[in-house]
Amino acid sequence: MTDALSESYEEVLYPSYLHVQTQPDRLATMAAFYGMQPAPVEKCRVLELGCSDGSNLIPYAFHLPESEFIGIDLAARSVAIGQKRIEALGLKNVQLRVFDVMDVDESFGQFDYIVAHGLFSWVPPEVREKILDICRRNLSPQGVAHVSYNAYPGCHFRDMTREMMLFHVRNVTDPQERIVQAIALIKFLSESFAETDLYRMFIKNELESLLERRQEQIFHDDLEQFNQPYYFHQFIEKAAAHDLQFLS
């Protein structure tokens, strides 16, 4: 992954949350519905790519003490926060590593569940290919991967405001000032049209959506260099090129 992207996430920590759709028992249930024989969640191996401070991984490790959880992320500050939580909880079945996705290989072994949430669309093209390659090489034969991405056609609306914000802050380097100026632009646009103008209604809706997000999310999700949405068929074609099959 590029040094600039790594430094960006070191400078401004991305807020981390628990994502219920990535729970091993949920993935196992969906797999069973579609005829697979997934590993029992009570004793499985889970890898999370882009684990941040472990907010998504640590709760699973706490409730599944016989399973093994590994998370990797380039943001050393975030990983350090997660490691302190692990130590405080006395967990022995989870580890977070400062590690580049591009360096994951067969030495990691196989995993029953691989999670890449909020990562795929926000990294360079070669890293996206590597994520899918990891899913192919490091998944067990009945393994399940959860990969989220920004999706078209909905993201066309978001692309429009993102491009305007990026142009507006193109010469601004301070993270906080980039956020402030980006929001100020959308506010200005939302107030620049007649009350009944459909374009104004759209811009106002985007502004309200922006204001609901944390500033760190705006900085990374909307003002970073990479934010590549895909149509569903495009993502499935990329996955199929790595011998991966769509599950659900």
Side-chain angles (χ1 to χ4, degrees), residues 210-224:
L210 277 172
L211 295 179
E212 289 175 356
R213 298 178 223 155
R214 292 177 57 172
Q215 292 188 350
E216 299 92 337
Q217 289 177 299
I218 295 174
F219 179 74
H220 289 297
D221 291 354
D222 299 282
L223 300 179
E224 285 282 10

Side-chain angles (χ1 to χ4, degrees), residues 92-117:
K92 305 298 182 183
N93 63 330
V94 55
Q95 54 178 303
L96 307 182
R97 304 179 187 174
V98 180
F99 203 86
D100 195 327
V101 168
M102 296 299 291
D103 294 328
V104 175
D105 56 23
E106 287 84 353
S107 67
F108 270 62
Q110 289 195 320
F111 295 86
D112 302 300
Y113 304 98
I114 294 178
V115 173
H117 185 84

Side-chain angles (χ1 to χ4, degrees), residues 138-153:
N138 295 90
L139 266 181
S140 61
Q142 291 291 312
V144 180
H146 171 97
V147 182
S148 69
Y149 59 93
N150 278 348
Y152 284 139

Side-chain angles (χ1 to χ4, degrees), residues 60-154:
Y60 304 151
F62 183 84
H63 288 287
L64 298 170
E66 298 300 317
S67 294
E68 179 185 4
F69 298 83
I70 297 175
I72 65 171
D73 201 292
L74 276 181
R77 286 177 59 200
S78 294
V79 170
I81 292 172
Q83 288 172 333
K84 288 182 179 179
R85 292 173 179 168
I86 291 171
E87 293 172 4
L89 291 168
L91 298 177
K92 305 298 182 183
N93 63 330
V94 55
Q95 54 178 303
L96 307 182
R97 304 179 187 174
V98 180
F99 203 86
D100 195 327
V101 168
M102 296 299 291
D103 294 328
V104 175
D105 56 23
E106 287 84 353
S107 67
F108 270 62
Q110 289 195 320
F111 295 86
D112 302 300
Y113 304 98
I114 294 178
V115 173
H117 185 84
L119 179 67
F120 193 80
S121 284
W122 292 275
V123 291
E126 64 272 17
V127 183
R128 294 178 213 137
E129 295 301 322
K130 179 63 177 181
I131 291 170
L132 296 177
D133 183 64
I134 291 171
C135 292
R136 178 173 69 91
R137 294 178 182 274
N138 295 90
L139 266 181
S140 61
Q142 291 291 312
V144 180
H146 171 97
V147 182
S148 69
Y149 59 93
N150 278 348
Y152 284 139

